[in-house]
Amino acid sequence: MIAAVLDWFEDFVRDGDMDDPVDAARLELKRQHCLLVMAEAREQARELGLSPRLTDLATVAGLTHDTGRFPQYRRWRTFRDAASANHAVLGTTALARHGGLAGLGDRDRFLVRLAIMAHNRRNLPKGLLAGGDAEALVLARIVRDADKLDIVRVMLEHFRIPGEKDGVVFLDLPDVPDRYNPAMLARIEAGRIGNYEAMETVNDFTLLLLSWVNDMNHARTRRLFFRRGHVRELFDQLPDTPEMRAFAERYHDRFAPRTT
């Protein structure tokens, strides 16, 4: 099952390759992201001790979660859903139209599509949380966590690139070194994730990424978020002010996994 979906995915990504090197690099970034989210989702499913079937479905959902990014960018030259279309909808439409999940049974196709539709929601839909479908909920939570871990990796790689930041990757936010929206700090400390609409600068994007600790469903995700140095590197991008240093200390005290 996984091999067939992977073959379909690679063919889908290559169909309509873009000649401009910048465009091609942005699409390759998303291709690599999908492959790494696939690996993260598989490892999370294994740590949870899921059945081979659910582990395979988590792997497939991780691979295909951003299928919609490819038609999105080719049409609109952006990864901002607000400026184009919901990429989860684009992805499930492409999978249905082009037979990406043809080898799966009806129930399993439903579960993968549901995980894709839930992965980019600000919060898991209440209907999913209360609906009693344990398989759907576990897959949605795995994909959301795997996606977050790898998005942070991608963003940190771009922070390390010297010079002007890629507007597509950073959502055209201005890079103002000392400026951030205090409301982002307040949301994190209130146990909430950051609000995209409240982002005014690149620093706010950094705080948004830090806020995702409040929406991590598995101990493994939070553990790797800290162990891989992501939290430290994100704070390194923020202004070195007394307020931010105090916030960083509170953040670590509250969220860092305890070692025994």
Side-chain angles (χ1 to χ4, degrees):
M1 170 175 61
I2 295 172
V5 179
L6 183 57
D7 286 344
W8 177 90
F9 174 80
E10 294 288 9
D11 288 342
F12 180 79
V13 169
R14 292 191 190 97
D15 185 26
D17 279 343
M18 304 182 77
D19 295 330
D20 186 283
V22 173
D23 292 332
R26 288 170 178 159
L27 291 179
E28 177 60 17
L29 179 151
K30 287 299 179 183
R31 173 183 168 274
Q32 290 294 330
H33 169 66
C34 288
L35 294 173
L36 289 168
V37 171
M38 174 181 72
E40 293 282 9
R42 179 177 61 235
E43 290 309 307
Q44 180 62 70
R46 288 173 174 170
E47 182 167 299
L48 291 173
L50 299 186
S51 67
R53 167 180 161 267
L54 280 179
T55 299
D56 284 352
L57 290 179
T59 304
V60 167
L63 172 65
T64 57
H65 80 287
D66 262 0
T67 298
R69 289 300 194 189
F70 300 93
Q72 178 187 50
Y73 187 79
R74 289 181 181 120
R75 179 172 177 180
W76 288 284
R77 297 297 195 278
T78 185
F79 293 131
R80 290 186 63 199
D81 286 12
S84 54
N86 184 327
H87 72 277
V89 174
L90 293 174
T92 54
T93 299
L95 285 162
R97 183 174 296 162
H98 301 289
L101 304 176
L104 280 65
D106 290 346
R107 167 69 177 170
D108 291 350
R109 283 199 301 273
F110 165 79
L111 289 172
V112 170
R113 289 171 181 160
L114 192 59
I116 294 170
M117 289 301 300
H119 91 273
N120 67 330
R121 297 281 294 269
R122 181 173 295 173
N123 301 108
L124 279 169
K126 292 181 180 179
L128 184 59
L129 291 169
D133 192 329
E135 290 184 332
L137 186 57
V138 73
L139 290 179
R141 284 174 166 164
I142 286 172
V143 174
R144 284 171 69 88
D145 274 22
D147 190 32
K148 286 179 173 63
L149 273 179
D150 198 64
I151 288 174
V152 174
R153 175 198 63 81
V154 169
M155 295 307 302
L156 287 171
E157 286 188 356
H158 280 79
F159 273 119
R160 298 183 199 116
I161 298 172
E164 186 175 349
K165 290 178 169 55
D166 187 330
V168 169
V169 174
F170 286 91
L171 307 181
D172 294 318
L173 291 166
D175 187 13
V176 185
D178 296 327
R179 183 177 152 199
Y180 61 89
N181 186 347
M184 300 293 283
L185 304 186
R187 288 184 70 90
I188 295 172
E189 300 209 84
R192 304 169 69 186
I193 60 173
N195 190 336
Y196 276 86
E197 289 74 24
M199 294 194 305
E200 300 170 352
T201 67
V202 169
N203 283 334
D204 293 331
F205 200 162
T206 305
L207 290 167
L208 175 83
L209 299 175
L210 285 164
S211 80
W212 284 352
V213 74
N214 286 315
D215 190 44
M216 291 177 175
N217 298 285
H218 303 103
R220 173 184 178 273
T221 311
R222 188 172 293 190
R223 183 173 72 244
L224 294 178
F225 191 43
F226 281 84
R227 182 180 296 172
R228 291 176 179 174
H230 293 344
V231 171
R232 173 183 51 78
E233 285 197 66
L234 287 170
F235 273 109
D236 285 346
Q237 308 306 318
L238 293 168
D240 184 18
T241 63
E243 180 185 22
M244 193 60 71
R245 288 195 296 271
F247 172 71
E249 185 174 342
R250 295 194 302 273
Y251 186 100
H252 281 82
D253 286 345
R254 179 173 177 179
F255 297 119
R258 303 299 179 216
T259 57
T260 57

